[in-house]
């Protein structure tokens, strides 16, 4: 795995910067402003995406802000330029979902992922702009999805991983009815400056317990655990080098104004005296395919690739994570060519160690 691929596997689109919630740990800088994506941006992106989708599976992920805050009429206009082969996904806090939105999802073939952190007591930091808990509104949105028979994924932020929590969370999401679950340990990122330094044993124990909870009732596809087990199996089979792509997926994020940030959606909307606005171009003036072909020449991207090589030469976990994420390096270390971050420790190293800890604790005794 060296360099950046010219064709991504998916594109992230920001239909609006606005979010109707004000979650304490949110990293987004413009979530109080309603800056909507013009139709011309979607048309420009679709001009590159449609040929890619014709050649193989391709997704557009609508992200925010809160994408549904753009409204059904505007979101429908943004969807229209994309061909029938493009798969659409939306990451939403679910507070705006009702019967009309469910009909919209069906009409446009949109797969929904809901952001919710577990039972009511675990959602205290998901609040409205008035500071009120958003939990009941989230559940109302989920109830609408279930009423219409729409499958959905869930994404949970865990701020304080510890033993005992993982089983509670997993049982909750089984009851919630999602079919895929992702777990994000809170990150120091963007405007969220809270530390993400965590006790190593507590984080490892959290992941180990989550493996056990999932193995008892594996009805949910558990993103992090299944990837870890796949990697461990490949190591045992001697095929681990085949898991990572030959080149990094550029993961282009197209902001509301058409600017394109590669590798880390979390960098969109920020500026730096050294790196500028982190963008590699704007689709209103340059085709997305052309922007991605030259993304490696963006100064901060070159620095990041240097850091990836440093990880390759120094970290025994490189085959598992592929060098980490650019935004975590920048927001934790202040630059892109550093190596290990707290995010690496919490969500990569201790994740894999937790899987191995569970395996050791549950291995069959010798005959």
């Amino acid at each position: 795995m060296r360099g950046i691929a010219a064709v991504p596997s998916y594109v992230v689109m920001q239909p609006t910067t606005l979010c109707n919630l004000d979650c304490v740990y949110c990293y987004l800088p413009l979530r109080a402003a309603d800056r909507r994506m013009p139709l011309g941006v979607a048309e420009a992106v679709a001009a590159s995406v449609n040929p890619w989708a014709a050649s193989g599976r391709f997704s557009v992920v609508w992200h925010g802000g809160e994408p549904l805050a753009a409204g059904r009429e505007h979101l429908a206009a943004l969807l229209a330029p994309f061909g029938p082969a493009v798969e659409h996904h939306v990451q939403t806090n679910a507070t705006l979902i009702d019967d009309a939105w469910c009909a919209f999802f069906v009409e446009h073939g949109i797969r929904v992922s809901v952001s919710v952190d577990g039972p009511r007591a675990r959602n205290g930091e998901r609040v409205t702009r008035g500071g009120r808990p958003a939990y009941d509104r989230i559940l109302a949105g989920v109830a609408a999805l279930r009423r219409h028979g729409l499958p959905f994924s869930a994404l949970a932020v865990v701020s304080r991983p510890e033993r005992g929590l993982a089983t509670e969370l997993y049982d909750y999401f089984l009851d919630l009815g999602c079919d895929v679950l992702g777990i994000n340990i809170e990150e120091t990122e963007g405007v969220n400056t809270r530390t993400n330094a965590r006790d190593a044993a507590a984080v490892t124990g959290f992941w180990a317990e989550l493996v056990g909870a999932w193995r008892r009732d594996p009805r949910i596809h558990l993103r992090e655990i299944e990837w870890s087990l796949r990697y461990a199996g490949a190591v045992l089979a001697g095929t681990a080098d085949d898991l990572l792509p030959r080149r990094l997926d550029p993961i282009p994020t197209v902001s509301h104004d058409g600017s394109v940030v590669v590798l880390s959606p979390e960098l969109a909307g920020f500026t730096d005296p050294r790196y500028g606005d982190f963008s590699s171009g704007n689709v209103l003036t340059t085709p997305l395919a052309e922007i991605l072909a030259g993304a490696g020449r963006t100064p901060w991207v070159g620095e990041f690739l240097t850091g990836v090589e440093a990880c390759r030469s120094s970290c025994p976990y490189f085959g598992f994570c592929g060098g980490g994420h650019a935004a975590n390096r920048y927001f934790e270390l202040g630059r892109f060519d550093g190596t290990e971050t707290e995010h690496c420790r919490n969500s990569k190293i201790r994740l894999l160690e937790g899987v191995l800890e569970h395996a050791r604790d549950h291995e069959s005794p010798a005959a």
Side-chain angles (χ1 to χ4, degrees):
M1 187 191 73
R2 295 182 187 275
I4 300 176
V7 177
S9 59
Y10 64 99
V11 170
V12 180
M13 300 278 282
Q14 186 183 52
T16 178
T17 58
L18 180 67
C19 187
N20 60 324
L21 298 188
D22 193 20
C23 301
V24 175
Y25 49 67
C26 183
Y27 65 86
L28 293 167
L30 301 172
R31 63 184 185 271
D34 188 6
R35 301 181 184 178
R36 297 193 181 189
M37 176 178 285
L39 178 57
V41 172
E43 291 172 338
V45 173
S48 290
V49 163
N50 288 338
W52 292 335
S55 301
R57 185 177 181 182
F58 197 93
S59 299
V60 171
V61 179
W62 298 91
H63 207 288
E66 167 51 48
L68 305 192
R72 284 187 295 278
E73 182 177 350
H74 187 61
L75 192 55
L78 296 176
L79 289 164
F82 294 93
V86 177
E87 298 179 11
H88 292 280
H89 302 251
V90 63
Q91 185 67 46
T92 174
N93 60 40
T95 60
L96 300 176
I97 295 177
D98 56 13
D99 292 337
W101 270 113
C102 288
F104 182 91
F105 299 147
V106 172
E107 178 184 357
H108 296 281
I110 298 174
R111 167 77 190 199
V112 179
S113 178
V114 173
S115 299
V116 58
D117 299 337
R120 185 182 302 273
R122 303 292 179 183
N123 273 267
E125 295 184 323
R126 285 193 177 274
V127 296
T128 67
R129 298 222 149 265
R132 298 178 62 83
Y135 185 69
D136 287 339
R137 293 174 61 186
I138 295 171
L139 284 195
V142 170
L145 292 171
R146 296 185 65 168
R147 191 164 59 247
H148 287 265
L150 291 174
F152 64 96
S153 304
L155 182 63
V157 174
V158 174
S159 295
R160 290 168 291 279
E162 57 192 5
R163 293 181 187 272
L165 173 60
T167 300
E168 175 190 349
L169 288 180
Y170 188 75
D171 289 345
Y172 171 84
F173 285 104
L174 279 175
D175 290 339
L176 191 70
C178 62
D179 55 8
V180 180
L181 173 62
I183 300 290
N184 287 351
I185 305 296
E186 181 182 340
E187 302 169 35
T188 301
E189 201 166 55
V191 298
N192 179 28
T193 58
R194 303 197 306 187
T195 181
N196 61 340
R198 298 287 181 262
D199 177 74
V203 178
T204 301
F206 169 82
W207 290 119
E209 181 187 334
L210 189 59
V211 179
W214 175 75
R215 289 189 65 196
R216 285 193 295 274
D217 192 353
R219 280 181 286 152
I220 296 176
H221 288 292
L222 194 47
R223 184 183 65 181
E224 288 76 16
I225 301 305
E226 292 186 31
W227 166 247
S228 303
L229 293 173
R230 182 183 174 198
Y231 173 75
V235 170
L236 293 174
T239 59
D241 190 52
D242 296 333
L243 287 182
L244 293 177
R246 296 299 93 186
R247 292 182 179 273
L248 286 169
D249 193 319
I251 316 175
T253 295
V254 183
S255 298
H256 69 283
D257 61 358
S259 60
V260 178
V261 174
V262 298
L263 297 174
S264 283
E266 299 84 0
L267 293 170
F270 290 91
T271 59
D272 181 275
R274 294 164 293 171
Y275 309 113
D277 64 2
F278 300 104
S279 74
S280 295
N282 191 298
V283 297
L284 294 177
T285 57
T286 308
L288 179 59
E290 186 176 329
I291 291 172
L292 297 184
R297 295 190 293 273
T298 306
W300 74 262
V301 173
E303 186 178 298
F304 171 71
L305 294 177
T306 298
V308 170
E309 293 308 309
C311 285
R312 186 196 307 275
S313 64
S314 65
C315 182
Y317 296 88
F318 181 83
F320 179 57
C321 79
H325 301 291
N328 297 112
R329 295 182 189 214
Y330 173 73
F331 289 114
E332 287 195 35
L333 306 177
R335 56 185 304 111
F336 292 98
D337 57 0
T339 53
E340 190 173 310
T341 63
E342 290 294 345
H343 173 72
C344 292
R345 299 181 187 104
N346 291 333
S347 300
K348 304 296 183 182
I349 296 173
R350 291 164 190 162
L351 165 60
L352 191 55
E353 290 179 347
V355 170
L356 297 176
E357 178 181 294
H358 174 85
R360 286 192 296 267
D361 290 346
H362 292 82
E363 63 183 353
S364 300

